[in-house]
Amino acid sequence: MNKHQNLLTDKLNGLSLPEINNTVSVPKNASFLRKLLAYSGPGALVAVGYMDPGNWVTSIAGGAQFGYLLLSVILISNLIAMMLQYMSAKLGIVTGMDLAQATRVHTNKKMGIFLWIMNELAIMATDIAEVIGSAVALNLLFGFPLLLGVFITVLDVFLLLMLAKLGFRKIEAIVMTLIATIFVIFMYEVILGQPNMSDLFLGFIPRKEVLTNNGALLLALGIVGATVMPHNLYLHSSIVQSRQYDRKDKSALKEALRFAKWDSNIQLFFAFIVNCLLLTLGATLFFGHGDSLTTLGSLFHALSDSKVVGAIASPVLSVLFAVALLASGQNSTITGTLSGQIIMEGFIKLRIPTWARRLITRLLAVIPVVIAIIIFGDSEEVVEKLLIYSQVFLSAALPISIIPLTIFTSQKKLMGDFTNHLWVTVSAWVITVTLTILNIYLIISIFV
């Protein structure tokens, strides 16, 4: 680590997520597989954001309305995510700072507060999606009123506190187990649907209909917006520092970067498969019914309706769908609260007890959902519209996350020998400009 990096780190007077920083041991002189297993985990927590409840309706609706057409959008979005997440991990490993800390060092106090507020809104928007997803899942599985389900999600805070006492490695294992649950359920349901494999593979080839058809374009933008999450960039730059490696040894940094890339790309590949399964489920089982299948509840009931999915209709499929939804909501709760802590400590250097931070984050997400239910009624359509509108904050926060990430990882004085290659920097700026334009268009489309 060079002198400039040391000065920046000293200026921060604190580690990113100090309770987990440098706590996970990594074997030395071990095989590639053993080291990969030791480094694996942060990528899973990041991948959760790419398959949260906010993705579900968009991806399934894309398949129900346009078949396999939008698989190419999922592919492109995932490739973008792989690149940005690696840049984020590299920033954390090389500088010893997370993205929030690095941004705060390079801005004044007022700008730091503004960026903190914007990112807190994005965290709140993300948590709203998890609250709604979990509440809907509890309603579908156990018949709980949505309002009761929303209040039950507050108990997630205490679940997280118990998990935290088990150690960060245990949290990673639980998250990976829940991801595997989601994967197995949707793979099973898609296999039952017997998709047309030739049409499926052709769906990964970009076609002009994505841009010329307004409905397809809007859903494509929704898929992109729900895939690339700003809070994941802050999260990844922090949790990769949980591994024990020599921060001053260049070869140790190289090894940490190598395995961080493997971990991230493997886990994001699983997220890619899950999102493809969601869209394929829509294309295989619900094609032609897209106009009526606009909520998670309608998808749940359709899986047991022979008029929609034919002979394979079964209450078991519906229950499995709801179980996967609940797993997705719980997973995203863990990562959302961690991201909130990173952003608060990084931008305004405020540290509060972990339980208070997590309780505040969850209450901020619960309040707008409760207000919507009280005013407009205990209706799934109402809360899921709120889920759609919450994505606006994510769209607004994305550019202010990608731009500093690209700037920092392209600076020689900050990154030293680990500076981005020219093609990475150029690609990152093209992605930044493109996503900013698309997100502005998506915001306009939602409200107009």
Side-chain angles (χ1 to χ4, degrees):
M1 189 181 294
N2 60 39
K3 183 178 179 181
H4 180 70
Q5 294 163 356
N6 279 323
L7 289 173
L8 290 176
T9 305
D10 292 341
K11 185 176 179 181
L12 289 163
N13 294 320
L15 298 172
S16 177
L17 290 181
E19 65 270 23
I20 67 168
N21 196 293
N22 199 37
T23 59
V24 180
S25 61
V26 176
K28 296 181 179 179
N29 302 318
S31 65
F32 172 85
L33 183 58
R34 280 192 62 199
K35 286 190 175 183
L36 178 60
L37 290 173
Y39 276 100
S40 295
L45 271 70
V46 169
V48 164
Y50 294 91
M51 57 179 103
D52 73 341
N55 295 57
W56 286 39
V57 173
T58 306
S59 295
I60 296 177
Q65 293 183 38
F66 301 102
Y68 304 102
L69 176 66
L70 299 180
L71 283 173
S72 60
V73 178
I74 294 177
L75 174 61
I76 293 170
S77 298
N78 204 75
L79 292 174
I80 291 173
M82 285 181 172
M83 178 179 171
L84 293 176
Q85 293 301 158
Y86 174 66
M87 289 167 57
S88 173
K90 182 164 67 171
L91 177 69
I93 290 171
V94 175
T95 69
M97 295 183 288
D98 59 55
L99 179 57
Q101 290 174 324
T103 306
R104 178 65 185 88
V105 166
H106 290 85
T107 57
N108 57 37
K109 185 176 180 180
K110 289 183 178 179
M111 180 57 69
I113 293 174
F114 168 75
L115 293 174
W116 168 65
I117 292 172
M118 289 297 296
N119 281 287
E120 282 289 355
L121 290 173
I123 292 292
M124 184 178 74
T126 302
D127 219 31
I128 285 174
E130 323 324 341
V131 167
I132 292 173
S134 296
V136 170
L138 291 171
N139 171 262
L140 298 175
L141 285 171
F142 307 110
F144 293 161
L146 286 175
L147 187 60
L148 176 59
V150 168
F151 284 120
I152 289 175
T153 63
V154 177
L155 298 178
D156 291 343
V157 174
F158 303 104
L159 174 63
L160 288 174
L161 289 173
M162 289 188 292
L163 292 178
K165 292 182 179 179
L166 298 176
F168 192 64
R169 197 67 171 146
K170 299 292 192 303
I171 293 177
E172 292 174 342
I174 292 169
V175 167
M176 284 193 244
T177 301
L178 292 174
I179 289 175
T181 301
I182 297 168
F183 171 78
V184 169
I185 287 174
F186 283 120
M187 179 62 78
Y188 171 70
E189 294 192 343
V190 167
I191 289 174
L192 283 182
Q194 298 181 341
N196 185 312
M197 297 307 295
S198 61
D199 289 346
L200 190 154
F201 285 113
L202 285 174
F204 292 110
I205 301 173
R207 301 209 298 268
K208 64 179 182 180
E209 288 86 349
V210 175
L211 298 176
T212 57
N213 186 306
N214 287 336
L217 178 60
L218 187 60
L219 278 172
L221 294 177
I223 289 172
V224 173
T227 301
V228 185
M229 296 285 198
H231 73 279
N232 267 338
L233 302 178
Y234 295 96
L235 178 68
H236 206 176
S237 62
S238 176
I239 59 178
V240 288
Q241 299 179 52
S242 62
R243 268 48 186 177
Q244 295 176 351
Y245 50 86
D246 188 346
R247 268 62 172 168
K248 297 181 180 180
D249 183 2
K250 185 176 178 180
S251 61
L253 294 179
K254 279 186 176 180
E255 180 177 272
L257 281 171
R258 178 191 178 200
F259 285 103
K261 179 189 274 189
W262 273 98
D263 173 43
S264 177
N265 288 345
I266 289 172
Q267 301 295 344
L268 287 177
F269 177 74
F270 270 102
F272 164 70
I273 295 297
V274 168
N275 283 321
C276 288
L277 290 173
L278 285 167
L279 191 139
T280 303
L281 186 71
T284 305
L285 300 182
F286 304 135
F287 187 68
H289 300 275
D291 293 337
S292 59
L293 301 177
T294 57
T295 66
L296 294 168
S298 61
L299 293 168
F300 170 86
H301 295 297
L303 286 168
S304 56
D305 187 349
S306 59
K307 295 180 181 178
V308 178
V309 299
I312 67 169
S314 167
V316 174
L317 295 181
S318 296
V319 170
L320 289 175
F321 177 86
V323 169
L325 178 60
L326 187 60
S328 176
Q330 295 307 302
N331 251 351
S332 300
T333 293
I334 295 172
T335 59
T337 50
L338 285 173
S339 301
Q341 183 179 346
I342 293 164
I343 288 167
M344 176 178 283
E345 294 178 0
F347 279 117
I348 61 175
K349 302 179 184 178
L350 176 62
R351 287 187 177 173
I352 60 177
T354 304
W355 67 268
R357 165 72 234 183
R358 289 173 177 165
L359 184 60
I360 291 170
T361 300
R362 179 43 54 97
L363 289 177
L364 287 174
V366 163
I367 289 170
V369 181
V370 170
I371 291 174
I373 291 175
I374 291 174
I375 294 176
F376 300 105
D378 194 358
S379 165
E380 184 188 340
E381 288 79 5
V382 169
V383 295
E384 292 196 24
K385 282 183 179 179
L386 181 61
L387 186 153
I388 293 172
Y389 287 120
S390 71
Q391 304 306 303
V392 172
F393 289 120
L394 293 176
S395 300
L398 190 57
I400 63 175
S401 304
I402 298 179
I403 291 172
L405 176 64
T406 304
I407 292 173
F408 299 149
T409 54
S410 301
Q411 285 183 349
K412 182 75 174 178
K413 66 178 182 178
L414 182 62
M415 302 296 293
D417 294 336
F418 299 99
T419 308
N420 288 339
H421 294 295
L422 179 61
W423 72 268
V424 174
T425 301
V426 172
S427 299
W429 281 118
V430 170
I431 289 169
T432 300
V433 173
T434 303
L435 288 180
T436 300
I437 293 172
L438 292 178
N439 280 324
I440 291 172
Y441 180 82
L442 179 60
I443 291 172
I444 295 172
S445 300
I446 287 175
F447 286 107
V448 174

